[in-house]
Amino acid sequence: MSVVSDLLRLVPDERRVSNGESVLDQHSADLTYHSPRRPDAVVFPETVEEVSAVLAYADAERIPVVPFGAGTSLEGHVIPLHGGISLDLTRMNRIVAVRPGDLSATVQAGVTRSQLEAAAGPHGLWFPVDPGADATLGGMAATNASGTTTVRYGGMHAHVLALEAVLPGGRVIHAGSRAVKTSAGYNLAQLLVGSEGTLGVITELTVRLHPIPEAIVVARAAFPSVESACRGAAALVGAGVPVTRCELLDAVTIAALNAYKSTSFPESPHLFVELGGSASGVPGDLATAQELLADEGATTFEAESDPTARAHMWDARHNALHASLALAPGAKAMITDVAVPLSELAGAMENARRLLDESGMNGGIVGHVGDGNFHVAFLLDPGDVDSLARAQSLNAALVEDALARGGTCTGEHGIGFGKLAYLEREHGDLLPLLRGIKAVFDPNGIMNPGKVVPS
Ligand SMILES: Cc1cc2nc3c(=O)[nH]c(=O)nc-3n(C[C@H](O)[C@H](O)[C@H](O)COP(=O)(O)OP(=O)(O)OC[C@H]3O[C@@H](n4cnc5c(N)ncnc54)[C@H](O)[C@@H]3O)c2cc1C
């Protein structure tokens, strides 16, 4: 019997079990330089019972299962390194409940961030975790995603209250509760957050929502250097200015955006900042922000409160990677993701700029600098062994520098298999514990094998 015919017994709908070439290809790769590998079959479950049946079957047959959300992760997370089943959650996309009185919502794992936003908005609420891509809530939980608003609201760890998940073998578990706090023993809901599909499949999540601020204003400030922009970000956060977003884009990225989105930003490093709060408080916060940024050398400062202008600016920011990729058609991206303590940020970015210049490689730098997290995006021809090796060695140097500064190899993108060596470098002494946890959840090693925990 083939995997496809076995799956059709469990999910008896030919539209939801596929080994068609285009479906396999779509589940074989991400946007990055990692080499693609096809699964043997793709299944699109619609219920937790179907997920359970697939995991029971796969565990008994020792067939690898790779959960798949929107496929926007960046370290080869969704690539089925050993073939098997790609389990696509996008048909589990029902908003189960929005509870304005509790500031929470329960959603199926395939619900996207924008879908949740649309459901929460009419209640005056929003879900702030925003990785830029329109990812699924299941995928965002599985990678502990964060993004532009983390500086104010935190990432997925701060937002997941409860989870329904299916473990290998088919057991359905419910971890956490609708209460905003708990001390009820080991927190398995939070253990699944960031587990990248290596422990089980998340099928439903209860997440926190927040009131939409009464007043929101965005400001754009240009700086003579990345380091001065970075110091500006640290000054805002250090002074307790209630920034909801604080993003740095270097001159290379601004130039790429101008070409891609027909914007006309001055081609120098910029901070994009958003402030949210009460109508009476925000103007004062904006004036403080302007003063602090001028002290750190800002050469321009433009503020907008019109919703369309605000959306336009964040749309530009969220298109930074696509803008860079458009500069080199056919190229693939390698994206670094270190995070350091805020006091080390200017030094770490200065070092990144120097290493980039010395390497002769072309790459843009962007960062969620209010959290000390920044990315260098290299555009590569994955077939060009020399440039791949240079980018990898630069990536490794940035990780070494971040670790020496008390930081981490990945602030938000996760390990996948692209950062396995860096996890070992950062937490090598903890690997036996990590392997032990994996073995308890997944004794037969079927869940997304080859990811997160080096074998
Ligand atoms: C342009 C761009 C910008 C980005 N910016 C950011 C950013 O600012 N911050 C950030 O954090 N990330 C960012 N990312 C990375 C990516 O968007 C996030 O990692 C996102 O959380 C992935 O969600 P997804 O639905 O696409 O998951 P997928 O890519 O489909 O899956 C990611 C991982 O989670 C597992 N998984 C998926 N669904 C489930 C489930 N239901 N149960 C268990 N495991 C599951 C998969 O097996 C895989 O290991 C960016 C990506 C792009 C393309």
Side-chain angles (χ1 to χ4, degrees):
M1 292 283 270
S2 74
V3 175
V4 169
S5 51
D6 285 344
L7 287 173
L8 274 170
R9 272 189 301 105
L10 308 170
V11 179
D13 177 348
E14 290 197 344
R15 291 163 308 167
R16 297 197 287 121
V17 176
S18 178
N19 62 355
E21 304 241 322
S22 64
V23 177
L24 295 184
D25 282 345
Q26 200 194 335
H27 293 81
S28 70
D30 58 23
L31 264 182
T32 71
Y33 68 101
H34 297 298
S35 303
R37 162 75 155 95
R38 282 179 170 179
D40 297 310
V42 182
V43 61
F44 300 82
E46 288 182 349
T47 62
V48 65
E49 290 78 17
E50 287 181 349
V51 175
S52 169
V54 171
L55 288 204
Y57 156 74
D59 200 40
E61 299 293 329
R62 308 290 193 265
I63 297 172
V65 176
V66 181
F68 191 100
T72 66
S73 46
L74 298 168
E75 288 297 348
H77 297 66
V78 292
I79 299 174
L81 296 177
H82 304 282
I85 299 167
S86 180
L87 190 140
D88 186 315
L89 278 300
T90 48
R91 281 176 176 251
M92 293 187 69
N93 62 355
R94 197 163 55 83
I95 307 272
V96 178
V98 177
R99 300 184 198 85
D102 292 339
L103 299 180
S104 75
T106 298
V107 300
Q108 288 189 313
V111 164
T112 60
R113 200 192 61 76
S114 62
Q115 218 186 320
L116 178 55
E117 189 99 331
H123 301 278
L125 300 173
W126 74 310
F127 181 72
V129 185
D130 181 2
D134 194 17
T136 62
L137 269 293
M140 288 170 64
T143 52
N144 184 27
S146 55
T148 53
T149 63
T150 304
V151 61
R152 171 83 162 267
Y153 295 99
M156 286 305 282
H157 266 302
H159 284 85
V160 173
L161 297 174
L163 287 177
E164 175 187 80
V166 183
L167 305 186
R171 179 174 170 200
V172 179
I173 62 162
H174 294 92
S177 78
R178 278 169 47 202
V180 295
K181 55 194 273 192
T182 175
S183 295
Y186 302 139
N187 194 328
L188 296 187
Q190 292 294 334
L191 181 58
L192 284 162
V193 174
S195 62
E196 300 185 10
T198 62
L199 302 181
V201 178
I202 299 163
T203 46
E204 193 174 286
L205 314 81
T206 296
V207 293
R208 300 178 80 148
L209 301 175
H210 298 267
I212 298 171
E214 184 188 12
I216 301 173
V217 61
V218 293
R220 223 173 23 245
F223 286 83
S225 67
V226 163
E227 294 72 41
S228 56
C230 217
R231 284 196 308 273
L236 292 181
V237 175
V241 177
V243 286
T244 45
R245 305 181 204 242
C246 185
E247 296 290 300
L248 185 147
L249 295 85
D250 76 343
V252 172
T253 308
I254 291 284
L257 272 177
N258 283 343
Y260 185 68
K261 295 295 281 183
S262 306
T263 46
S264 51
F265 303 129
E267 292 185 1
S268 59
H270 272 69
L271 279 187
F272 285 9
V273 177
E274 184 176 279
L275 302 164
S278 68
S280 57
V282 165
D285 295 333
L286 184 65
T288 308
Q290 181 165 11
E291 209 173 295
L292 288 168
L293 296 185
D295 286 350
E296 297 300 343
T299 52
T300 65
F301 185 90
E302 291 170 61
E304 323 240 24
S305 50
D306 169 60
T308 313
R310 283 177 5 223
H312 186 61
M313 194 176 99
W314 292 121
D315 180 57
R317 162 63 186 93
H318 285 146
N319 273 289
L321 178 58
H322 298 290
S324 299
L325 283 169
L327 289 179
K332 295 284 184 181
M334 178 190 288
I335 303 166
T336 73
D337 180 37
V338 296
V340 295
L342 210 50
S343 60
E344 296 286 341
L345 184 62
M349 290 188 86
E350 201 174 342
N351 181 55
R353 185 73 266 164
R354 185 181 55 78
L355 289 173
L356 248 180
D357 292 345
E358 284 172 10
S359 75
M361 295 199 66
N362 198 5
I365 302 181
V366 297
H368 310 300
V369 283
D371 329 304
N373 179 205
F374 68 93
H375 311 298
V376 180
F378 307 111
L379 302 184
L380 297 169
D381 167 1
D384 177 349
V385 181
D386 179 49
S387 74
L388 189 59
R390 273 192 298 150
Q392 265 160 344
S393 118
L394 190 45
N395 199 344
L398 293 179
V399 169
E400 283 303 326
D401 184 63
L403 297 183
R405 293 174 189 274
T408 176
C409 66
T410 172
E412 58 183 21
H413 294 165
I415 300 297
F417 71 91
K419 288 198 165 73
L420 283 176
Y422 302 146
L423 178 80
E424 193 158 4
R425 175 68 188 83
E426 184 172 336
H427 285 308
D429 55 330
L430 300 182
L431 287 185
L433 276 175
L434 299 184
R435 289 193 185 107
I437 292 169
K438 166 82 174 164
V440 167
F441 278 78
D442 182 20
N444 297 320
I446 63 155
M447 291 305 308
N448 207 359
K451 314 291 169 58
V452 183
V453 189
S455 48

